Every structure is written in C-alpha cells, then in structure tokens.
Amino acid sequence: MKAQLTSILRLTLLVGSFLLMYPLNAFALMDAMSTFDVKGTIGQEQLTVFWFTVGVSAFLLLTVGGVFFYALFRFRAKPGQDFVVPEQTHGSAKIEIALIIASCLLLLVIAVPNAKALFVMDKPPEGKKVMKVVAIGHQWWWEFQYPDLGITTANELHIPVDTAIDIDIKSVDVIHSFWVPRLAGKMDALPGQINRMWLDANEPGKYYGQCTEFCGDSHAQMRFLVFAHKQAEFDKWSRAEKADAIKPETVSQVNGQKVFMQGCNSCHAIKGTNAMGMVGPNLTHFGSRTSLGAVMYKNDTEHLAKWIKYPQQMKPGNLMKLEQANMLLSDKDVTDLVSYLQNLK
Amino acid sequence: MSTSTEEISTGGHVHSHPEAPEQGMLGPRPSAKRGIWSWLTTIDHKRIGIMYGLAALFFLVLGGLEALLIRLQLAVPNNALLVGDMFNQMFTMHGTTMIFLAVMPLIAAFFNFVVPLQIGARDVAFPRLNAFSLWVFIAGAVLINVSWFAGGAPNGAWVGYPPITGPQYNPGHNSDFWVMGLMLLGVSSVAASLNFFTTIVNMRAPGLSLMRMPVFVWMTIVTNILILLAFPPITIALAQLMMDRMFGANFFNVSKGGMPIMWQHWFWVFGHPEVYILILPGMGIVSEILPTFSRKPLFGYPLIVFSGAFIGFMGFAVWSHHMFTTGMGVIAVLAFSVTTSIIAVPTGVKIFNWIGTMWGGNLRMTTPMLYALSFISMFTVGGFSGIMHSAAAADMQQHDTYFIVAHFHYVLIGGAISALFGGIAYWFPKITGRLMDEKLGKWAFWIFFVGFNMTFFPMHILGLNGMPRRIYTYHADMGWNFWNHFCTAGAFVLAVGFLLFFINMFNSLKHGEIAGDDPWDGRTLEWSISSPPPEYNFAVIPQVTHLDDFWHKKQSGKASASWDGKLIHMPLPSYYPLICGVGMFVFGMGMIFLKDNMMVFLPIAVGGILLLTFAIFGWALEGPGGEMIDPTKESGAYN
C-alpha cells in the first residue's frame, strides 16, 4: 500500500511539473522580446494558435503520459519475480483504430485556428489605414525606407499605432530575417527576392527586433528598434525626418563635417550635403537615434568616439574596416566628428 | 556429410565456387587474422561495425566538446570566449559533426553489427563495398576536420545556405572543406544503403518473411531507402555550390540571376528525410529493447512497421516546413503545415504501441530498458514541440529561435542518442562477450537524463522569450541571462553522464561479467549464437518459423540445429576498399585548394582520382575469392 502511494505521488509530481512549466513561463516571460507580451494583431493571432497547440499537447501529456507512467509502475517486475513470463498478447485492432481517429481529430483542433491565422497574416484587413515601408537587410544592420514620405533611416523604425505597416523585405547581400516578436512573427529577407508582410502595433511603445537568419560574423549584433507613436507624434517625427540635415554651427562641428566629407561620405549619406554613399546607414538625423551599431551600443559620446576610431573592435567583421585600411583619425578629428554627428538631430 | 569444395553453403543458398585468381594486382590477398592489418583490410561486417562505432563515439566526444565551448560562450551575456567567426565555426562544426560524423555512423555501426545477425546471414551482400563505405566515411570525416588546421573550419551553419557560403561572402576555404567532406560522406552513405537494402531483400534466412523481420531490420530497410532517395538532392546542391565556389558558376549568385532559395529547397528535400534517417533506427532499437525487457511481443507489430514506413514516405512531403518564413505564399505554407501535422499520427501510433508493449508485461529495469524508456518520454516531449511548430502561424514566432534548438535536441539526444546508447548497452554483451556494469550504467543514465533536461528544457523558454539561435552573444537586459547560465551548468552535468557511460564501456571490456550467448533472454536470432559471434555468424543457417523466432524456439523447447557438416564459404579480406578511401581523401584535398595553386593541386587531385581508379580495377580483378572454414576447428571471433 505504502509503495503504491509513493508511486502515485511520484507520478503526480512528474506529470505536474511538466504541465506547470508552460503556463508558468507565460506569466514570467514578459521581457523585451517575449512572444507572450504581444501588442500587435498578428502576434496575437500567432499566440492564440500557440495556446491551442499547448492545449492539445497538455491533453496528450496527461493521457498518454499518464498511461505511460502508470504502466511503468504497475507492471514493474517484483523483486525475485523477473523470470515470470506474462501473457503474450499481440495487439488490438479496435484500440489502434480508435487512437488513430482520436489523433486526427486532435490535429483538426489545431488546423482550424492555424489556417485562420495564416489568412489574417496574408494581408491587412479591409478599411485599415496602411503605411508602406521597405526594410532592407545589410550585413549587419537594417535600412528602413518610407517611399511615400521620402524618408530613409536605419536600425530604428518609427510607426504610427493602429496602422497596418505594409513592409517590403529585401536584402542586398546574404539572407536575413525581420523579426519583432512583440508585434509579429518573422519574414526572411532574401537577396533577389521581395517578401511582404504586414504588422501593426496597438499600443505606443518601444519594441525590440533582431535578425533571425544566420548572416555571418556579427549576426548576433543585427538588432533594431520599432518605436510606435500616436499618429500626431508620428507626423511630427516624419516632418523632422524629411527635412535636410542641420548645418554645422560651432568650429568643432564645421571641422567635423570637413573630416566627414574626406572619406565617410563615400559610404554614408547625409541629406542636404554632398555625402551620398549608399553602403552604410543614412546619417541625416543620426543625432536623434538612441542607439549605435544596430542597437549594439547607446548612442553617446564615448561609444561614438570609440566606434569611429576602432570600428572592427566594436563590431567584428563590419564593412567599416578603418583599422585594416590604416585610416586612424587623430583624437581631435574624432572629437569634432562626434560633435558634428551628434548635432544631426 | 559433404566436404566437397564444389558446393558451398552461403546464406542458405548453394552455388558453385567461382574461379578466383590466386593473386591480385598487389600480390596475394591479405590474410592477417590479427593485428592492425586484419582491421584495415577486414570485410567482416562485425569488425566494420565496431570500427564505425568507435569512430562515431570519437566524433561524438569531439562534437560534445564543441558544444561545451558553445555553452561556455553563452553562459553569460557579452562574453568574449568565442566571438563572431570563431563561434560560427564552432556551431557549424558541432551540427555537422553530430549529424554526419556521430549519429549517422553510430547508426551504421548497428546496421553493420546487428542486421546480418538478426536476419540469419553470414555477412552483408557486398562485403568489400561495406568496407569501402567505412573508409570513405573516415576519409570524409577527417577531411572536414582537417579544416581546423588549414585556415578555419566551415562557418556557414550545418544548413550552409548560400550566399553566406558562396564565394562572395565566404572567400576562404571554410566552406570548400564542408562541401567536399559532405560529398564524400554522401558517397559512403549511398554505397552503404545499397548494400543493406540488397542484404535485407536477398539474404534473409529461409522462412524469415518480411512480416517476421525484427522491427530494427524493418527500420533499417526504411532508413536505407530514405538515404538512397534523399542523398541525390543534397549531392546536386553540393555540386552546384562547389561549381559556384571553385569554377565561378552562378547557381546561387543573385547578381548573375542565381537563386539562393533553390538551395533551401534542395537542402530540405534531403534535410527532412535526414531527420528520419537519424530517428527511425532509434525507433527500431527501442522496438527491440522493449519487448525483451517486458517479456512480451511488440504490441501491434504490423502497425509499428507500417507507421515507420509511412513516416519515411511522408518525410519527403514536408520539407518546406523548414521554410515557412521564406515567403512561399499562404497556400503553400498551409499545405506544408497540414502534411507536417499528419506525421504526428504514425508517430503517435508508435508511442501508443510501445506503451501497449509494456502493458501487462513483466518489466525489468535494466540500463538498456532505462534508455529505451527515456527515448519514449523525451521523444514524446520533442513531439509536442514538433506539433507546436507544425502550426505554421505559431512557427513564425518560433522559427530560428532557441525553441527550435530545444525541439531538435529533444528528438536527437532525448530520442536518437537515448536509443543508440540503449542499443550499445543492449548489444554490448553480444559484441564483446561481456556485460556492462549495471550499477555504473544506471548512474550514467540518470546523470545523462537529468543533465539533458537541465540543458535543453530551458531552451524552450529562451526561444519563446525571443532568443534567436546562432548568435554568439546577447545583451544583458533581454531576460535571457538566468536560463542561459542554467543551460550551461546542465551541459556539464550531461557531459558527466556521457563520460560515465564511456568509462563503463571501457572498463567492462576487460572486467565485465561474462555474458554468455543470451544474457537478456532475447527474442531474435542474434541471441542464438555465441558472444562474440564467430566470423561466419551461423554454423548452420536457421530455419525461421515465427516472429521473434528464437524466443519461440526457446519457449517450445526446440534446441537449435547442430552443424550440418558443410564447410562455410567466407570471402577474403581486401586492400582495395581502404585504398579507395585514401584516393578519395587525396582527391578531396586537391579540389579544395585547386584555385590557390593549379600547378600543385591539380596533380594532387588527379593523383587521387588515379589512385581511386587503380583501386577499383584492382578490386574488380581480384575476384570475390574466398576461403572454406570448418566451424569445429576455427573459432574465428575477432577478439
């Protein structure tokens, strides 16, 4: 009797701890890239499908797992009895057929919400406001273009809330993948191919994104941010972003611009100047960005100065190979460049 | 009592002795029965199986060390142990090593050792081709790992998606090693699959009809059909990538109209069946262990067989579920989502039937049984996460995150490795004549089991919490710190579990309890012969009348038949399979460095091909040969 009780206790503990894991996670996981703490239509649909799959799995775990552990404890050989030969049964057609039909039905429980979610993801609902964005993957940063607004920016995407953002996803080099887990699932950026997805945010806020297709040395550092604003704030941002870059004012900033135009401009563009490089991120309003190096560092004086001096140390493999090209700037030039760039609000 | 050399009994068939030349192109055929040369020239399926197994375990340790380094780097945020490309080499080689150099050859070891014994044959259909497979596998495995000392290991992930592995973005030799190495491994696998398919179809003992075959033999034939059909697509893809890299072709070069997405289709048409190539043999092993230690026949034998075959068939209809996020369009995504979920049905059937086998049995909790039970439970957990991402909408979030990493490690370690280690513990007495220590075995099992779950269960949480895979570092404010730390600790516990298992193996080799022919009260033919088996396996080919024939004979008290007096014809060893392997290795090395210096490496590549050609001719001209063995005089066991 006592042995049976401990067996049952063990069984309950085992099954229970497995079962508890998933719901517990859901409550605990509300971090920066949680797929549970979703604030977008698509993310919500995908989470719903996930819960259906969890429900089916939990049911199977209880039933199949229960029978498994029951059989394990019930039919264990008793000490000294392990030579006993039990009845040699070969199977039962009735049980098999019933189980096959039951598993097919369980799969249907998942298939229906899954199909519904896929069609929701396919295109934005009729009558919803739509804004077009082009997201372009580079090794290892994201370029964002707003074709209707004439804006090009990098690594920080600003969107209005409750608007379907219709995104064309491309790549200029290798395969990347665009993912903002709290808004929607991912879509790959393939060279030579344009993929489309849409997403929306139903609350203003800052949402983390990250490249999820392995893309080389600094794949881990290809992150980005999505800022969702109320419409009025977004309009304010887009007006400022559309304008030309601010002219340098102080002596230091003027020298900084001069330094910039002696090399940086071949890869970077600044609207309103003759810097028109297309290789690196557009820096027209660089000073207004919160982060540096694809959300690798905070955009402050210390990190920016280090970045300009030792880009390879700051982000291995990136195309800014100043160390190798022996293009080390003097400390004064670096300071001036930093103050010029920080002024580009 | 015929002792004539005119009529020879081979696998139940009688045919006349072919006229074999006395001498090959390299003089007399090798005849060493002991020592290093007897192993290098052997064509005995048991010795080949042992060598496959030892090589596989070596690479398992190597891949495991790579995994530990990966876990060390990820233990804390912003770590600087393996940054950028070094980390990429490490996880690429971890995946490649574990799949192609550890699990596949370990499976091949079981095919080699167990299948001929279970079907009552004296060897495989093509013994020299079998040795050829082994040596080409070794050549490919060594070739890939030479890269560590020749400028850098492959670094484009085990899936090797171009353009990241193409010449524009991967100018070194890293991916060249990967492409050539995998091609050699493909040659090895296809040759082996033809061999085992032919063996099982043609060389079964009389009376061993298809539906009397042990389930492991069934899963072997299904797996080998999968290999036969799945390796051509990957070979084509590898050839295209090789041409892009070595000869400036443009299959995947976008600026010249190439299509990188084509690689993904080629790769996964191979890659998904590959997953079943890794797991079906494990299912077969579990289907051997469970009945033995439940003392009951397998519940629903025909359904287990058919669902295995059905899983193999469906394996070719689901490849695009690895590509849900590549923009295939909603209908394609939905279609592959549905076909994928269908696979849950035959998989479920197998799990139900294994539980049915235990039901009403008399379960002995030996080490092999524990591993088999671990297979069922852990594979089921992996199945649940599989159901979760068969729903494409949910997979859009899970794809390429640690959730996927958790899933396939549950299937490959909790599943395949559990079953294979169970298989080692189960057949160890047959292979060596000695039992593995049960007490140490159980310790090893529980540490393995706990360490495995510590390492991989939290990865589900990490993935759902947004951690992408294949990243070398992460920021401290993402909420990933604790579980990453925990996983790393778990990985070391898991490593201790493996280590204890190996210690047990090598210790038992010398000091294990003497096993006898049938230590487990087994059900299949391999337990009817001595441990280790003689060179010719069966002195007299058994007549099979039932499923689980040996068990049936024991129960009905029919002793096994005694020797019928016919001398046993066994093929002779050969140098040529080994020379073929060397030739292919030299050819591969020449090709990899071809574009660096044509004058040096073209002759090397051509030399390799010439060596291979010489070996093939030598092989063809030496004839099958053979010797006559009197089982009363020679023990013939390899140790």
Side-chain angles (χ1 to χ4, degrees), chain B residues 108-127:
Chain B
F110 285 109
F111 288 173
N112 265 288
F113 200 96
V114 177
V115 166
L117 299 183
Q118 284 198 331
I119 63 172
R122 286 180 175 151
D123 208 320
V124 295
F126 309 114

Side-chain angles (χ1 to χ4, degrees), chain B residues 12 30 71 211 429 542:
Chain B
R71 277 319 319 168
M211 293 311 278

Side-chain angles (χ1 to χ4, degrees), chain A residues 18 21-22 25 28-36 38 42-43 45-47 49-50 53-54 56-58 60-61 64-65 67-73 75-78 81-93 95-97 99-100 103-104 107 110-111 113-115 117-119 121-122 139 172-175 177 179-193 195 208 210-221 223 295-297 315-316, chain B residues 78 83-85 88 91-92 155-157 159 161-164 169 254 259-261 264 294-303 324-331 333-334 337-338 341-342 344-345 349 351-353 355-356 358-365 373 376-378 380-381 384-385 387-401 403 410 453 457 460-461 463-475 477-480 483 521 523 547 551 555:
Chain A
F18 270 97
M21 284 306 253
Y22 278 108
N25 295 342
L29 299 179
M30 290 299 182
D31 291 304
M33 285 177 60
S34 168
T35 58
F36 294 104
V38 283
I42 291 185
E45 285 287 332
Q46 289 164 336
L47 184 61
V49 175
F50 175 71
T53 64
V54 171
V56 169
S57 303
L60 285 171
L61 193 62
V64 181
V67 177
F68 174 74
F69 282 109
Y70 178 78
L72 195 56
F73 291 110
F75 298 109
R76 256 179 109 142
K78 315 238 161 0
Q81 297 286 306
D82 66 358
F83 53 85
V84 174
V85 175
E87 195 194 339
Q88 305 285 296
T89 51
H90 283 271
S92 152
I95 296 178
E96 307 275 9
I97 291 168
L99 287 174
I100 290 173
S103 0
C104 292
L107 291 178
I110 298 173
N114 179 40
L118 288 176
F119 282 102
M121 288 155 59
D122 192 37
Q139 275 181 326
V172 298
D173 38 48
V174 301
I175 304 170
S177 193
W179 187 36
V180 192
R182 290 181 60 207
L183 298 181
K186 55 191 73 66
M187 181 59 82
D188 291 356
L190 284 131
Q193 179 177 329
N195 279 340
Y208 276 89
Q210 186 157 4
C211 171
T212 42
E213 182 62 63
F214 172 63
C215 58
D217 292 3
S218 282
H219 166 54
Q221 303 292 8
R223 313 202 303 159
V295 200
M296 196 170 171
Y297 302 104
K315 188 166 184 172
Chain B
N78 299 314
V83 171
D85 190 48
N88 298 345
F91 76 70
T92 302
N155 56 358
V159 295
Y161 286 0
I164 196 80
Y169 298 97
V254 176
M259 279 183 80
I261 194 76
Q264 298 190 24
S294 307
R295 286 190 204 276
K296 266 185 71 204
L298 200 60
F299 192 81
Y301 168 88
L303 263 156
F324 281 152
T325 64
T326 57
M328 295 189 300
V330 63
I331 298 299
V333 168
L334 188 54
S337 185
V338 170
S341 66
I342 288 173
V345 177
V349 165
I351 292 167
F352 301 146
N353 281 301
I355 298 174
M358 289 156 61
W359 196 269
N362 194 15
L363 311 181
R364 283 177 289 163
M365 293 300 160
L373 295 171
I376 298 175
S377 52
M378 294 301 98
T380 305
V381 173
F384 290 150
S385 50
I387 291 176
M388 290 174 192
H389 39 250
S390 79
D395 180 66
M396 300 286 175
Q397 289 281 26
Q398 297 156 4
H399 179 71
D400 267 343
T401 68
F403 191 83
Y410 264 84
N453 281 291
F457 199 86
H460 291 109
I461 304 171
L464 294 173
N465 205 7
M467 183 167 166
R469 62 193 282 206
R470 297 179 178 137
I471 57 174
Y472 73 84
T473 191
Y474 51 94
H475 291 244
D477 53 358
M478 305 306 289
W480 303 334
W483 287 119
D521 194 9
R523 311 179 71 86
L547 179 65
W551 168 267
Q555 292 296 306

Side-chain angles (χ1 to χ4, degrees), chain B residues 503-514:
Chain B
I503 290 175
N504 192 6
M505 265 179 80
F506 288 106
N507 199 40
S508 305
L509 208 55
K510 278 248 158 60
H511 309 292
E513 195 187 323
I514 299 289

Side-chain angles (χ1 to χ4, degrees), chain B residues 38-39 42-59 102 105-114 116-117 130-131 134-135 137-138 196 424 427-433 505-506 509 531-534 537 636-639:
Chain B
S38 72
W39 288 88
T42 187
I43 51 168
D44 180 346
H45 69 97
K46 297 180 288 298
R47 285 175 164 227
I48 290 173
I50 289 167
M51 284 192 280
Y52 257 120
L54 292 177
L57 292 179
F58 170 78
F59 285 111
L106 197 53
I107 287 167
F110 285 109
F111 288 173
N112 265 288
F113 200 96
V114 177
L117 299 183
N130 202 20
L134 169 71
W135 296 118
F137 152 67
I138 303 270
F196 282 96
I424 294 176
W427 281 301
F428 190 86
K430 184 52 60 186
I431 298 169
T432 65
M505 265 179 80
F506 288 106
L509 208 55
S531 312
N537 299 346
Y638 42 81
N639 50 356

